[in-house]
Amino acid sequence: MVKRNVLATLYGIMGVGAIIGILAPLLQYWGNPANMGICVACFDRDIAGALGLHRADVVQYMRPEIIGFVLGSLIAALIFREYRPRAGSAPIVRFILGVFAMIGALVFLGCPWRALLRLAGGDLNAILGLLGLAFGIWIGTLFLKQGFTLGRSEKTYPSVGLILPLVMLGFLVLMFIFPQVEGEPKSGVLFYSIKGPGSQHAPLFVSLAVGLAVGILAQRSRFCTMGAIRDLLLFRQLHLFSGFVALAVVAFFTNLVLGQFNLGFANQPVAHTMHVWNFFGMALAGLAFALGGGCPGRQLFLSGEGDGDAAVFVIGMIVGAGIAHNFGLASSPGGIGPHGIAAVVVGFAVCLFIGFTMRKKIA
Amino acid sequence: MAATVDARGLSCPQPVILTMNKIKELGTGQIEVLVDTDTSKENVSRAAKSKGWTVADVTEEQTGYRVTLLKE
């Protein structure tokens, strides 16, 4: 008989959402940027900065939360015998979807996780982002209904699934070899921020511990913010959505307790008030996540359990962050970047091309 | 002869979509769904139950799981 997985039940997924809803605001309390306790897009972007893939000096930090997500998921998958090395489902397409998912997220300034945390912190601009996210995912469901598929993955060598976890382990080792030096923008090969969001972070071991814990819980519960909205639209199913709502509600109360709630549109931390582009930036990200089969967090957890295709999406996001900052596509609190609109238009064209040309009846 | 849905190697939510299509097509009977991950196994089982089908059996195979769905 097959084992029972408590975290994959309705109460399990709600519990995991609630735990993230407590831990993320706490990370802010412990040093992470405001309304950014956990933001997979922002943190991937900070990692790109730490590696020098872009040189926006305010967003450079090797975020241990991301490393913890992947390694925590790997640990859970190994303990519960769910590690399944697999790869080969249109990796180049997944890479490009990762690139444009990141570009869209950086026009809004956050991934779906941060959109919830921004709302829970009183940032009303997040409503536009969440509506855009739902719109993008809805377009994705239309393609899925028409048989959109990136094709089947194949079982592969165990080492293939270990590549991204090993890269993350390597990043962690780099942090130990080249630790942050107070007031210095660089330590060995790693870049660090002296000011801005990249300079704000919880202590390394706290971030890593929270990352590992969330990685373990999310692997077991299959927590996915894109799947939450997709399953609601596609199947009228509330399972993942209940975890999504639990995160937002619990984060709201945690923020109230910690004195981190500040209601309004204007002067919100690491956010802008250009409603149309908050909407369309996140719509692009939502479409790319839907076609790619998971939110940015879920792609990390899948990578940890051996999915080499999800790992390609993750690398696409990190490279996408480099492109977004180098080409002036990313927004800032001052508004969208000089080429942000063009990037969203191109991103939609690319995603629609992928959606329309990769449909087939797989019976 | 039971209908078979081979969803091995497919990303979310395609295993569920294929299963739901087969459920709609047959109405009642028996469906064997082949999946390769625990997530797909859980998702397919949950979706089938929501349509009034029962998960009669789940067996582990070399390439994943065989989920047997039933509706009288």
Side-chain angles (χ1 to χ4, degrees):
Chain A
M1 190 54 205
V2 178
K3 66 221 177 256
R4 183 170 158 76
N5 177 2
V6 179
L7 287 179
T9 62
L10 180 64
Y11 289 119
I13 188 99
M14 287 177 74
V16 170
I19 290 171
I20 298 171
I22 293 170
L23 289 175
L26 272 175
L27 280 171
Q28 292 160 210
Y29 187 75
W30 291 326
N32 278 9
N35 293 349
M36 205 190 280
I38 296 173
C39 171
V40 179
C42 317
F43 289 2
D44 280 350
R45 181 264 325 269
D46 292 351
I47 287 178
L51 296 170
L53 297 180
H54 67 71
R55 301 296 298 279
D57 61 5
V58 291
V59 283
Q60 301 168 330
Y61 183 60
M62 188 66 81
R63 296 278 177 187
E65 289 88 349
I66 299 291
I67 297 169
F69 280 8
V70 176
L71 297 181
S73 168
L74 173 68
I75 291 166
L78 290 175
I79 290 175
F80 294 96
R81 293 180 51 242
E82 291 190 3
Y83 180 73
R84 291 183 191 272
R86 53 197 190 272
S89 166
I92 179 64
V93 177
R94 291 177 190 267
F95 179 85
I96 294 296
L97 288 172
V99 168
F100 282 105
M102 178 57 97
I103 290 172
L106 290 180
V107 169
F108 165 68
L109 288 173
C111 70
W113 292 47
R114 183 167 191 244
L116 291 177
L117 292 173
R118 281 174 59 173
L119 186 65
D123 177 353
L124 297 175
N125 299 296
I127 294 171
L128 278 301
L130 287 167
L131 289 174
L133 178 71
F135 178 68
I137 294 170
W138 174 72
I139 298 174
T141 64
L142 298 183
F143 286 121
L144 285 165
K145 276 186 198 166
Q146 293 177 16
F148 172 81
T149 176
L150 292 174
R152 291 179 199 270
S153 62
E154 296 282 336
K155 190 171 184 236
T156 183
Y157 307 99
S159 55
V160 173
L162 287 175
I163 296 292
L164 195 75
L166 286 172
V167 167
M168 291 293 161
L169 198 60
F171 286 169
L172 187 62
V173 170
L174 284 179
M175 282 193 94
F176 290 133
I177 299 175
F178 305 114
Q180 187 165 21
V181 181
E182 178 99 28
E184 291 294 325
K186 206 172 176 202
S187 171
V189 301
L190 291 183
F191 292 91
Y192 288 90
S193 294
I194 302 172
K195 56 184 170 55
S199 68
Q200 300 163 3
H201 53 80
L204 193 161
F205 284 101
V206 173
S207 295
L208 185 64
V210 170
L212 285 168
V214 171
I216 291 170
L217 292 173
Q219 193 281 332
R220 295 300 291 152
S221 65
R222 334 306 187 193
F223 185 84
C224 178
T225 59
M226 184 282 297
I229 296 174
R230 180 200 62 207
D231 289 356
L232 186 65
L233 295 173
L234 201 54
F235 307 124
R236 305 275 172 256
Q237 210 187 77
L238 284 163
H239 179 76
L240 288 171
F241 193 73
S242 55
F244 184 80
V245 172
L247 192 166
V249 171
V250 173
F252 165 69
F253 285 109
T254 311
N255 278 327
L256 282 185
V257 171
L258 296 174
Q260 296 179 157
F261 186 78
N262 172 29
L263 192 70
F265 281 100
N267 300 319
Q268 291 290 344
V270 201
H272 64 79
T273 56
M274 299 175 77
H275 303 319
V276 171
W277 299 106
N278 278 329
F279 181 91
F280 281 107
M282 210 48 160
L284 171 59
L287 175 56
F289 296 144
L291 297 179
C295 79
R298 181 80 186 135
Q299 303 282 357
L300 292 171
F301 309 132
L302 284 169
S303 302
E305 60 174 67
D307 187 336
D309 296 315
V312 173
F313 189 99
V314 170
I315 301 292
M317 285 194 72
I318 294 174
V319 172
I323 295 170
H325 280 282
N326 289 338
F327 292 0
L329 317 178
S331 301
S332 70
I336 56 170
H339 304 295
I341 295 175
V344 170
V345 172
V346 171
F348 265 103
V350 170
C351 287
L352 292 176
F353 171 75
I354 290 169
F356 277 113
T357 56
M358 298 187 70
R359 292 171 298 165
K360 86 173 175 195
K361 287 287 164 215
I362 31 170
Chain B
M1 175 67 190
T4 303
V5 172
D6 183 359
R8 288 172 297 182
L10 294 174
S11 316
C12 270
Q14 293 159 58
V16 174
I17 292 180
L18 295 183
T19 304
M20 294 297 238
N21 288 347
K22 192 56 91 179
I23 280 177
K24 219 177 273 178
E25 182 190 319
L26 296 182
T28 56
Q30 182 177 345
I31 305 174
E32 305 273 330
V33 185
L34 306 176
V35 295
D36 66 338
T37 65
D38 293 81
T39 306
S40 295
K41 175 195 73 184
E42 292 161 6
N43 290 347
V44 164
S45 302
R46 193 181 302 118
K49 283 181 199 161
S50 77
K51 292 289 165 196
W53 288 60
T54 50
V55 180
D57 194 24
V58 179
T59 51
E60 200 159 354
E61 300 187 336
Q62 216 211 328
T63 54
Y65 297 98
R66 175 180 295 266
V67 184
T68 306
L69 305 175
L70 273 179
K71 189 172 182 182
E72 301 289 317

